[in-house]
Amino acid sequence: MGRSNEQDLLSTEIVNRGIEPSGPNAGSPTFSVRVRRRLPDFLQSVNLKYVKLGYHYLINHAVYLATIPVLVLVFSAEVGSLSREEIWKKLWDYDLATVIGFIGVFVLTACVYFMSRPRSVYLIDFACYKPSDELKVTKEEFIELARKSGKFDEETLGFKKRILQASGIGDETYVPRSISSSENITTMKEGREEASTVIFGALDELFEKTRVKPKDVGVLVVNCSIFNPTPSLSAMVINHYKMRGNILSYNLGGMGCSAGIIAVDLARDMLQSNPNSYAVVVSTEMVGYNWYVGSDKSMVIPNCFFRMGCSAVMLSNRRRDFRHAKYRLEHIVRTHKAADDRSFRSVYQEEDEQGFKGLKISRDLMEVGGEALKTNITTLGPLVLPFSEQLLFFAALLRRTFSPAAKTSTTTSFSSSVTAKTNGTKSSSSDVSKPYIPDYKLAFEHFCFHAASKVVLEELQKNLGLSEENMEASRMTLHRFGNTSSSGIWYELAYLEAKESVRRGDRVWQIAFGSGFKCNSVVWKAMRKVKKPTRNNPWVDCVNRYPVPL
């Protein structure tokens, strides 16, 4: 059973490596077999407790609204059975004190409801930093910068080149030029310089777009996973913009690529307890400070994917911002798997055998990431899916959970599927064990998945049954800007806006995952049609060239 599950998570492909330049096989074509670990088919093993958790969230938020229609129906049925004369007679039968008491109870109940319900949180606007063209590199230039530093041998450089060729990253991403330096660049000075460049660049654009003064901001949340100096990055922002002294500031570190959504969740909580306030959320990562100079291949991989980037988001709970806000925050669902040892160590910062510090990527990353994603979307489903989809999904889940036949077929699904593929027929056992896959396209119009790598996006598309159009924003962001960590999902939303794809009432699903292991989702609803920007958008000068094949 364990062996078949392991085989199920592996995929193979034959790679043409070209003509052999030298040796006994010189002049002959050469091929290699590449074995990769896929995301687990998480829709085949949905846990009932996470579905229950999703419905728990739904009931908690809907109980008050659900009672109102019931009371209205009961009152209507009572009044509807009486004539006009009988209604007036009943009213006159009550004394004045009773009527006033009834009205008082009604007004008090209404006040308690409206005062206790969560405040709506609006996204006024957001900005994504676009570095200068002098920091732009092609894949070949990236390799040359690494070679120029003299810190990598040819075997490591060759490994980097192969990773880049299969990464889905294009030739217009941005890196700090300091990576070509032969000196140590993982210094506080280098980190602060890069941080001030990207953070102030994004915030300057945000304040210009929203016309909100920095001193009017009541909540500030900055997240950067690796670089955490003292004073903090949030203190650096307050100092630069001379923000007010009673601002609620927070600095999140070590939270990985999903920290952007965690920061939005924290800002939402602060806005719930501080009326009539603005909140700014800054998400970024430092490429130079996190640059690994060793030869451990599992630690070289982050060098190949991470690129410069930063996002800044302006949130508000002021009711008068309803009219000019772009989006309203609908749901946030967070999943944390750090209790599991494999998940905890799947992305782990440590020193290699030579003492060089870097991020170590575990072979289990795809599998634990799939488990976290499965939990997250299962919890999110009851909050966003139409009732028809929930009914079909829940019925199939119950059948799979309690049916002995389904359990038996699960144990033989791998061998049956292999036999079916060999014979060119369809496996009946897999049909029995396979649950109904909810159509998330009925819940959302737009998808912004964290652009970690080409392989991850392909597996997400396959498991969720999404179209090429659904994945376009994520793929094009990976191609144009690379993996910009926690800010990546905002570059994807900026792409959708640049394409004029967002219309009033559209629902946007942003989902990100990172070290820990964490998977977080946030759902936004568009308050108006977003017109194509003419400036202050990282895609303005290149969006007409996209989409492109990866």
Side-chain angles (χ1 to χ4, degrees):
M1 178 67 179
R3 183 178 178 182
S4 66
N5 285 341
E6 179 68 20
Q7 290 175 325
D8 233 356
L9 295 175
L10 300 178
S11 64
T12 59
E13 60 176 314
I14 299 176
V15 181
N16 186 349
R17 304 188 63 99
I19 304 299
E20 185 70 26
S22 59
N25 297 321
S28 303
T30 59
F31 300 88
S32 63
V33 178
R34 178 183 296 162
V35 180
R36 296 193 299 198
R37 182 179 291 270
R38 302 196 308 262
L39 281 174
D41 193 359
F42 46 81
L43 290 169
Q44 291 287 334
S45 56
V46 178
N47 196 320
L48 189 61
K49 70 177 181 180
Y50 299 121
V51 179
K52 181 180 177 182
L53 181 60
Y55 281 106
H56 175 71
Y57 288 163
L58 183 65
I59 291 171
N60 277 351
H61 289 82
V63 64
Y64 299 109
L65 293 177
T67 58
I68 293 175
V70 175
L71 293 175
V72 171
L73 287 174
V74 172
F75 179 77
S76 301
E78 178 68 23
V79 174
S81 62
L82 302 175
S83 64
R84 183 181 299 177
E85 291 77 10
E86 290 174 325
I87 292 174
W88 279 108
K89 184 178 180 181
K90 280 184 172 291
L91 289 175
W92 282 111
D93 287 342
Y94 293 109
D95 55 38
L96 183 61
T98 303
V99 174
I100 293 176
F102 175 79
I103 295 174
V105 170
F106 177 79
V107 172
L108 179 62
T109 304
C111 289
V112 170
Y113 167 72
F114 285 107
M115 291 177 66
S116 62
R117 70 173 182 171
R119 301 174 186 273
S120 294
V121 174
Y122 302 105
L123 193 160
I124 306 301
D125 214 329
F126 66 96
C128 297
Y129 175 68
K130 182 181 178 183
S132 60
D133 286 345
E134 64 183 16
L135 301 177
K136 187 184 295 184
V137 295
T138 64
K139 291 189 287 289
E140 290 296 329
E141 289 172 341
F142 179 85
I143 297 297
E144 287 306 313
L145 287 174
R147 178 179 283 112
K148 185 179 178 181
S149 70
K151 299 172 182 175
F152 303 98
D153 56 32
E154 287 301 318
E155 181 182 354
T156 302
L157 291 172
F159 176 74
K160 282 190 173 186
K161 189 172 184 178
R162 293 194 298 272
I163 292 293
L164 282 173
Q165 288 174 344
S167 66
I169 294 176
D171 290 325
E172 294 183 291
T173 58
Y174 304 91
V175 296
R177 289 290 171 175
S178 59
I179 66 173
S180 65
S181 173
S182 59
E183 300 178 357
N184 177 28
I185 64 171
T186 59
T187 63
M188 299 303 291
K189 180 181 178 180
E190 173 67 28
R192 281 195 173 97
E193 183 177 342
E194 184 179 345
S196 60
T197 299
V198 298
I199 292 176
F200 297 156
L203 284 172
D204 286 346
E205 183 178 317
L206 179 70
F207 290 133
E208 180 184 349
K209 292 173 74 172
T210 60
R211 298 180 181 178
V212 174
K213 298 178 181 179
K215 287 191 176 182
D216 292 334
V217 176
V219 180
L220 173 66
V221 184
V222 179
N223 73 82
C224 181
S225 186
I226 299 297
F227 181 61
N228 293 284
T230 299
S232 66
L233 294 177
S234 60
M236 183 184 76
V237 172
I238 294 171
N239 174 261
H240 181 79
Y241 291 99
K242 308 305 177 187
M243 291 177 160
R244 66 197 200 195
N246 64 345
I247 188 171
L248 302 175
S249 67
Y250 301 88
N251 200 96
L252 304 182
M255 306 294 282
C257 298
S258 65
I261 296 177
I262 297 173
V264 170
D265 192 23
L266 176 58
R268 178 188 64 171
D269 290 344
M270 293 301 101
L271 289 174
Q272 292 302 325
S273 56
N274 294 273
N276 298 316
S277 298
Y278 288 114
V280 170
V281 175
V282 179
S283 302
T284 188
E285 192 56 79
M286 300 304 110
V287 175
Y289 189 79
N290 192 40
W291 188 249
Y292 172 68
V293 296
S295 56
D296 187 323
K297 292 183 179 179
S298 63
M299 301 174 78
V300 167
I301 293 175
N303 281 7
C304 302
F305 285 96
F306 285 108
R307 297 292 187 269
M308 293 179 68
C310 180
S311 66
V313 181
M314 180 72 71
L315 303 176
S316 171
N317 60 6
R318 307 190 315 169
R319 288 188 174 89
R320 57 180 173 272
D321 287 330
F322 170 85
R323 295 182 178 180
H324 61 274
K326 280 188 174 181
Y327 306 94
R328 184 178 66 220
L329 179 58
E330 296 289 304
H331 306 287
I332 293 181
V333 174
R334 293 169 55 180
T335 301
H336 208 309
K337 292 288 188 177
D340 174 64
D341 290 340
R342 287 196 313 156
S343 298
F344 178 70
R345 298 190 65 90
S346 59
V347 181
Y348 202 79
Q349 187 181 24
E350 62 181 5
E351 290 82 15
D352 64 9
E353 294 179 352
Q354 298 173 291
F356 295 123
K357 183 178 64 178
L359 283 179
K360 188 178 185 67
I361 306 299
S362 166
R363 292 180 179 272
D364 296 327
L365 179 62
M366 294 291 283
E367 185 176 351
V368 301
E371 290 297 320
L373 188 63
K374 175 189 69 177
T375 302
N376 189 267
I377 67 174
T378 305
T379 307
L380 179 68
L383 301 175
V384 298
L385 288 170
F387 181 73
S388 57
E389 287 295 303
Q390 294 188 46
L391 189 62
L392 291 171
F393 172 72
F394 196 65
L397 180 61
L398 289 177
R399 183 177 69 249
R400 178 182 172 81
T401 303
F402 299 109
S403 171
K407 292 180 180 179
T408 304
S409 64
T410 301
T411 62
T412 59
S413 60
F414 178 76
S415 58
S416 299
S417 62
V418 171
T419 304
K421 288 179 181 178
T422 305
N423 297 332
T425 60
K426 198 170 183 178
S427 170
S428 60
S429 63
S430 68
D431 291 342
V432 174
S433 64
K434 187 174 182 180
Y436 177 76
I437 302 175
D439 188 356
Y440 283 90
K441 297 189 292 294
L442 298 176
F444 308 107
E445 284 72 34
H446 308 290
F447 300 82
C448 298
F449 296 136
H450 172 53
S453 71
K454 179 181 177 181
V455 174
V456 170
L457 294 179
E458 288 174 349
E459 291 298 321
L460 283 170
Q461 179 181 8
K462 174 185 173 183
N463 278 277
L464 295 177
L466 301 177
S467 66
E468 293 292 325
E469 183 180 358
N470 298 144
M471 302 299 297
E472 183 177 315
S474 300
R475 284 201 172 106
M476 296 309 103
T477 297
L478 177 65
H479 181 272
R480 177 64 180 84
F481 293 98
N483 182 346
T484 58
S485 189
S486 56
S487 64
I489 54 177
W490 297 105
Y491 286 83
E492 295 167 19
L493 186 54
Y495 177 85
L496 293 171
E497 292 188 354
K499 284 289 187 179
E500 287 190 284
S501 301
V502 182
R503 294 172 173 78
R504 179 183 174 87
D506 283 1
R507 295 152 299 179
V508 181
W509 181 17
Q510 292 179 315
I511 187 166
F513 28 86
S515 59
F517 192 87
K518 298 179 289 295
C519 180
N520 302 315
S521 291
V522 59
V523 179
W524 305 92
K525 185 173 183 179
M527 306 300 293
R528 55 184 170 88
K529 180 180 179 180
V530 180
K531 297 180 180 179
K532 184 175 182 178
T534 57
R535 55 194 297 268
N536 291 337
N537 183 296
W539 295 91
V540 165
D541 61 346
C542 62
V543 71
N544 293 331
R545 293 191 275 115
Y546 287 90
V548 298
L550 298 189

